[in-house]
């Protein structure tokens, strides 16, 4: 076999392997809190794949413990427990950081979130939920856009120009949104905190401050969020002062996380 044909065969095999992995991930992604069990028929309908292909992929996932056969379909398999435990131990914040967030939430009775940047999104890496019936909640691991919100304004402080343009292009306002982003970033850097009121969701407000890494760059945003009716101007300033004190303690103790930029 000529080198050219061999390379072509390897590339085709690689493409087929990647496609199989993508399909397997797509199948696993169909499972969730609202659908903890899924049937072969439902997978076929959701993915558009041939039934024989679905059966082959499901059997492979089952053999590796990622799916588990049940009388009414397939549910997440026990093999996921090991990965979940590994993810939790790798991503979980230090006990003192979690205590800072618990204490802040108890004092202010609003949801406390910790966000970090991942490409053009901010990812929630920790949360202390508000005890109040009407509250703002995102789940750990959720990705939110960077084009608006108090946390985005502090997270983007050290962002390079190409990233700002990509964030703007992904927004509902287009590339022209870069100018507004720069204004928000400069204002947040000047006063040491940022707030937002209904920028991403009507009726939702937030106050955020930066958490700094060892080099002095912004590595995370600590925020309080809740209904706008509970965020009048005088309360926002109190929240900002409290957040800055907690963020300073986090920074002084040394903030480390898998999403933190290389130092």
């Amino acid at each position: 076999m000529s080198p050219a044909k061999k390379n072509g065969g390897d590339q085709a095999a690689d493409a087929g392997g990647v496609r199989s992995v993508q399909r397997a991930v797509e199948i696993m992604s169909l499972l969730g809190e609202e659908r903890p069990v899924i049937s072969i028929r439902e997978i076929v309908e959701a993915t558009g794949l041939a039934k024989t292909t679905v059966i082959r992929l499901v059997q492979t996932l089952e053999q590796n413990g990622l799916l588990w056969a049940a009388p009414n379909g397939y549910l997440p398999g026990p093999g996921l427990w090991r990965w979940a435990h590994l993810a939790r131990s790798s991503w979980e914040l230090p006990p003192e950081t979690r205590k800072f967030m618990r204490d802040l939430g108890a004092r202010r009775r609003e949801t406390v979130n910790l966000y970090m940047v991942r490409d053009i999104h901010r990812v929630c890496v920790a949360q202390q939920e508000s005890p109040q019936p009407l509250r703002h909640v995102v789940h750990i691991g959720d990705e939110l856009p960077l084009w608006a919100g108090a946390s985005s304004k502090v997270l983007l402080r050290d962002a390079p120009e190409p990233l700002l343009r990509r964030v703007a292009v992904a927004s509902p306002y287009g590339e022209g949104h870069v100018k507004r982003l720069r204004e928000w970033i400069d204002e947040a850097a000047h006063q040491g905190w940022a707030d937002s009121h209904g920028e991403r969701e009507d009726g939702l407000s937030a106050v955020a401050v930066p958490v700094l890494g060892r080099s002095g760059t912004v590595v995370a945003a600590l925020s309080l969020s809740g209904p706008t009716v509970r965020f009048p101007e005088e309360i926002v300033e109190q929240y900002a002062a409290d957040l800055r004190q907690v963020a300073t303690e986090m920074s002084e103790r040394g903030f480390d996380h898998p999403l933190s930029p290389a130092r």
Side-chain angles (χ1 to χ4, degrees):
M1 180 183 296
S2 68
K5 289 184 178 180
K6 182 178 179 180
N7 290 338
D10 290 343
Q11 290 174 359
D14 289 345
V18 170
R19 187 162 56 248
S20 294
V21 171
Q22 290 173 334
R23 288 171 172 173
V25 170
E26 185 178 358
I27 290 173
M28 295 299 298
S29 298
L30 296 174
L31 293 165
E33 293 183 4
E34 296 181 355
R35 184 163 57 180
V37 180
I38 193 166
S39 67
I40 294 292
R41 179 180 59 80
E42 289 173 323
I43 296 173
V44 170
E45 291 176 353
T47 63
L49 296 172
K51 183 177 180 179
T52 53
T53 300
V54 168
I55 291 174
R56 175 174 55 83
L57 290 168
V58 166
Q59 287 176 342
T60 301
L61 291 168
E62 185 182 9
Q63 290 167 6
N64 287 276
L66 302 182
L67 287 178
W68 189 266
N72 54 340
Y74 291 85
L75 57 124
L80 292 173
W81 277 111
R82 180 175 63 85
W83 289 2
H85 176 73
L86 178 62
R88 179 173 181 177
S89 61
S90 299
W91 285 70
E92 196 169 61
L93 295 169
E96 60 270 19
T97 302
R98 299 199 301 274
K99 184 178 185 303
F100 288 150
M101 295 181 66
R102 284 196 304 271
D103 292 346
L104 177 60
R107 285 195 304 274
R108 294 306 183 180
R109 294 179 58 79
E110 298 293 357
T111 297
V112 184
N113 284 319
L114 193 66
Y115 291 100
M116 300 185 72
V117 172
R118 181 179 180 274
D119 195 33
I120 61 172
H121 299 92
R122 50 188 166 107
V123 181
C124 179
V125 297
Q127 180 184 89
Q128 180 62 42
E129 193 172 326
S130 167
Q132 304 196 62
L134 182 60
R135 58 188 182 269
H136 174 234
V137 177
V138 296
H139 299 99
I140 294 175
D142 282 355
E143 292 187 344
L144 301 177
L146 276 171
W147 50 261
S151 293
S152 298
K153 296 171 186 179
V154 298
L155 285 171
L156 290 173
R157 190 188 76 179
D158 305 311
E161 193 67 21
L163 176 58
L164 286 182
R165 285 199 297 271
R166 290 175 57 223
V167 169
V169 168
S171 77
Y173 314 108
E175 190 170 355
H177 190 51
V178 168
K179 181 180 179 181
R180 175 61 62 84
L181 286 174
R182 289 199 196 98
E183 292 172 351
W184 283 343
I185 294 165
D186 290 344
E187 182 181 5
H190 175 72
Q191 65 184 8
W193 56 275
D195 62 340
S196 62
H197 304 278
E199 291 176 2
R200 192 176 57 85
E201 292 183 21
D202 289 339
L204 176 64
S205 290
V207 187
V209 300
V211 178
L212 305 181
R214 296 182 182 90
S215 63
T217 58
V218 176
V219 294
L222 181 68
S223 73
L224 283 164
S225 61
T228 298
V229 294
R230 296 205 299 258
F231 280 68
E233 185 176 348
E234 63 274 14
I235 296 297
V236 164
E237 292 181 359
Q238 294 176 26
Y239 286 174
D242 208 349
L243 283 163
R244 291 184 72 177
Q245 181 179 349
V246 175
T248 297
E249 293 185 69
M250 287 185 179
S251 300
E252 289 176 348
R253 286 175 177 265
F255 184 83
D256 198 12
H257 191 276
L259 279 185
S260 297
R263 290 175 295 278

